[in-house]
Amino acid sequence: MKDRVVLAYSGGLDTSVGIGWIADATGAEVIAVAVDVGQGGEDLEVIRRRALDCGAVEAYVADARDEFAEEYCMPALKANALYMDAYPLVSALSRPLIVKHLVRAARQFGASTVAHGCTGKGNDQVRFEVGITSIGPDLKCIAPIRDLALTRDKAIDYATRHKLPIETTKHNPFSIDQNVWGRAVETGYLEDIWNGPTKDVYTYTDDPTFPPVEDEVVITFHAGIPVALDGVPVTPLQAIQEMNRRAGAQGVGRIDIVEDRLVGIKSREIYEAPGAMALIAAHRELENVTVEREQARFKKRVGARWTELVYDGMWFSPLKRSLDAFIEDTQQYVSGEIRLVLHGGRATVTGRRSESSLYDFNLATYDTGDTFDQSQARGFIEIFGLTAKLAAARDARFGRGVVISGPDLLPAEGSGA
Ligand code: ARG
């Protein structure tokens, strides 16, 4: 039997040409696998046929939208995952899911090798290959675009010579990756980091400069997951899709950053993630109300580390799995409702309520009915500040006390002094 290679297939020029290249270079049969992570665009059946027309012996399409929302986007929401405090891990989240489907196909079709169409400069090659070796350690990985140094010109030439049914004339200046959690746009004139993004960069969001009237939404969470919008039950996928629509109409979730890639390059990327950014804003505030202070402070650090691991392609790593367990444990009381106003590029929390709230009105109030015993505060502060007081006294003995300089205070005009 001929050797078989499973290729992560997008339907675009590079991976379409990749089918023939892999077959030519390895003599293997190519099985194309396309995964629906809510990227929209072309019909997946059309993409499947194209793979066959380009020479794949089998082509398989996986509708993984619910799986992606439930098992990848929801953990990211629970972690409030924002790489470099800004990027909600859009592409980084989809790669491990695609990897799972590739490895499954490799098993099903008896393939020895998995192939992807990434270049050698990005994070995605790392995410694919580390992912594949993590869950299919016996599988080999190849990357034709990177390893055979295949350029766009060579791809067009190959497609024309072999009469492949693929568009070679339309050239989008941008490199785009999108799924239901968001959209990433890079290259072209965006590589000059002084250039502002033009309107044609955006498709998930409308211009926030001239927004429609504000949109108020109540999001119900159960254990960290959105379960209803304005009282209407939703699945995680529906929650993201609906929030993409509503927050997107208000221009929420446009991000423009220079980020640190794992391979050491700093790169400029534009993201649009209206649903993700609105949901994270709401989830974060519900955590403020329901998660105990020490757990919350520590969780912030755990979430940041979790985010770096996922960005760096370590989805299937032991540390990521351990941090998942911690994060999951923090979510048991993150249930309740958040009222969010979407308007002019912002998602603003205006109300919160929860059965498992730690907010105690009677402790917080400055009105009558206060149950907080203020006389206890004095002793608390005395002991809490003791360590700093002792150290300051020692500094003074050694002549290293805090120097307070500046002119003497003058009486304010009109104070009568
Ligand atoms: N820089 C982002 C990441 O590494 C997005 C990369 C997605 N690819 C693209 N063609 N924009 O997660």
Side-chain angles (χ1 to χ4, degrees):
M1 190 179 115
K2 264 192 162 181
D3 196 15
R4 297 184 137 188
V5 175
V6 169
L7 168 68
Y9 184 66
S10 70
L13 176 67
D14 284 352
T15 52
S16 294
V17 166
I19 295 171
W21 274 333
I22 293 169
D24 295 348
T26 64
E29 293 179 338
V30 179
I31 292 145
V33 173
V35 184
D36 188 354
V37 285
Q39 62 269 45
E42 266 189 311
D43 185 79
L44 281 162
E45 183 50 29
V46 174
I47 290 180
R48 202 182 71 81
R49 294 230 165 134
R50 181 176 307 139
L52 295 170
D53 292 341
C54 290
V57 293
E58 312 258 8
Y60 146 109
V61 169
D63 179 356
R65 289 174 303 163
D66 282 303
E67 183 187 5
F68 180 57
E70 286 159 23
E71 294 172 33
Y72 297 81
C73 302
M74 291 302 108
L77 177 60
K78 290 175 185 174
N80 300 317
L82 295 174
Y83 181 67
M84 295 175 75
D85 297 326
Y87 162 45
L89 293 181
V90 174
S91 306
L93 288 175
S94 74
R95 300 312 183 232
L97 168 84
I98 296 170
V99 161
K100 257 195 180 170
H101 285 269
L102 294 173
V103 172
R104 198 176 72 175
R107 301 291 180 233
Q108 187 178 330
F109 296 106
S112 67
T113 305
V114 174
H116 62 77
C118 302
T119 68
K121 292 178 81 168
N123 300 310
D124 288 329
Q125 53 172 344
V126 183
R127 296 170 184 149
F128 274 118
E129 293 179 33
V130 173
I132 287 159
T133 45
S134 301
I135 60 173
D138 55 306
L139 294 170
K140 290 194 291 281
C141 285
I142 56 172
I145 314 292
R146 178 191 68 195
D147 300 338
L148 304 175
L150 299 169
T151 59
R152 188 180 158 80
D153 289 341
K154 288 191 207 167
I156 292 173
D157 182 56
Y158 186 99
T160 325
R161 269 191 295 117
H162 292 80
K163 300 193 172 55
L164 298 185
I166 171 89
E167 183 78 65
T168 53
T169 48
K170 260 197 295 187
H171 184 44
N172 191 319
F174 306 120
S175 164
I176 298 167
D177 184 51
Q178 61 189 46
N179 60 52
V180 75
W181 200 236
R183 186 165 174 270
V185 186
E186 61 181 340
T187 73
Y189 73 87
L190 296 171
E191 284 173 355
D192 179 339
I193 61 178
W194 183 248
N195 283 343
T198 46
K199 289 189 191 311
D200 60 324
V201 169
Y202 301 106
T203 66
Y204 280 21
T205 52
D206 291 331
D207 190 343
T209 322
F210 305 102
V213 290
E214 65 174 35
D215 183 9
E216 190 178 271
V217 56
V218 174
I219 308 174
T220 309
F221 286 87
H222 181 74
I225 286 177
V227 292
L229 298 178
D230 294 324
V232 180
V234 285
T235 63
L237 178 64
Q238 290 167 335
I240 302 166
Q241 288 171 328
E242 183 65 4
M243 290 306 292
N244 274 341
R245 194 180 63 73
R246 290 173 69 170
Q250 296 284 347
V252 171
R254 290 186 171 186
I255 300 146
D256 177 349
I257 59 161
V258 170
E259 78 191 31
D260 282 309
R261 284 191 193 162
L262 178 59
V263 296
I265 298 171
K266 283 189 187 288
S267 70
R268 200 275 188 92
E269 196 103 35
I270 304 287
Y271 299 105
E272 300 180 271
M277 295 307 282
L279 287 168
I280 288 172
H283 175 262
R284 224 191 220 156
E285 178 61 9
L286 189 57
E287 283 191 334
N288 289 346
V289 175
T290 56
V291 178
E292 183 273 332
R293 184 188 69 196
E294 295 310 311
Q295 211 179 13
R297 288 179 176 176
F298 197 72
K299 180 178 178 282
K300 195 160 192 255
R301 287 153 62 179
V302 172
R305 188 73 190 98
W306 187 97
T307 303
E308 287 169 353
L309 286 169
V310 173
Y311 184 88
D312 289 348
M314 304 298 276
W315 180 271
F316 299 104
S317 70
L319 179 56
K320 147 77 171 49
R321 192 170 61 226
S322 301
L323 300 186
D324 275 331
F326 174 86
I327 293 170
E328 192 54 41
D329 185 68
T330 62
Q331 299 300 293
Q332 59 179 322
Y333 293 115
V334 185
S335 301
E337 291 180 326
I338 292 291
R339 190 176 57 236
L340 207 55
V341 169
L342 308 167
H343 194 238
R346 282 197 301 263
T348 311
V349 174
T350 61
R352 55 295 264 164
R353 66 180 168 206
S354 167
E355 299 275 314
S356 45
S357 167
L358 291 173
Y359 177 83
D360 183 333
F361 179 86
N362 292 320
L363 283 176
T365 186
Y366 283 92
D367 292 340
T368 45
D370 180 3
T371 58
F372 186 82
D373 180 359
Q374 297 198 33
S375 70
Q376 302 284 344
R378 221 187 136 99
F380 166 73
I381 295 165
E382 181 74 24
I383 292 169
F384 177 74
L386 187 56
T387 179
K389 188 171 160 183
L390 287 171
R394 181 182 59 188
D395 281 341
R397 278 205 315 279
F398 282 82
R400 294 181 196 141
V402 174
V403 180
I404 298 167
S405 58
D408 285 342
L409 298 176
L410 297 170
E413 252 176 81
S415 70

